[in-house]
Amino acid sequence: GLCLVTYEKLKEKDYLDIEMDVPGFSKSIRAVCQVAWTKDLQKSDDKGRRLFYVGVKINKIKPENEAILLTHLYTLKDINTKS
């Protein structure tokens, strides 16, 4: 799953069609996700908009998009474990 930051509080079990740009890859990827949980950050962005953490479970993603996402996530893991 993923943790997103949103400007609105979403309902648990809602479905989202998400499109993401992944650093280092030329095309964006898409996935269908389901909201697992939400949390109010109790703060606003620089424009005064409320912020929420939203945990989502990836329900449907093309294999090539999954490979791109996993490659990026493993790269982040490697960077964070080398410190």
Side-chain angles (χ1 to χ4, degrees):
L2 300 169
C3 181
L4 311 173
V5 178
T6 65
Y7 294 120
E8 66 179 87
K9 186 173 184 177
L10 302 173
K11 294 179 185 173
E12 286 185 26
K13 299 187 180 178
D14 276 355
Y15 283 90
L16 305 173
D17 187 13
I18 296 177
E19 185 171 349
M20 300 173 268
D21 291 325
V22 179
F25 294 90
S26 59
K27 70 171 197 154
S28 59
I29 63 171
R30 295 182 71 174
V32 175
C33 302
Q34 186 174 26
V35 176
W37 55 267
T38 61
K39 180 180 178 185
D40 190 333
L41 268 73
Q42 303 294 324
K43 65 179 183 176
S44 301
D45 69 359
D46 57 350
K47 295 181 181 178
R49 297 175 289 195
R50 287 178 64 192
L51 298 171
F52 299 90
Y53 282 135
V54 179
V56 298
K57 175 184 175 191
I58 299 172
N59 287 7
K60 186 176 180 184
I61 188 169
K62 290 182 179 178
E64 60 269 22
N65 288 341
E66 181 179 22
I68 290 169
L69 183 59
L70 289 175
T71 298
H72 178 65
L73 293 175
Y74 285 132
T75 300
L76 293 177
K77 180 182 175 191
D78 288 344
I79 290 169
N80 290 326
T81 57
K82 290 181 181 178
S83 314

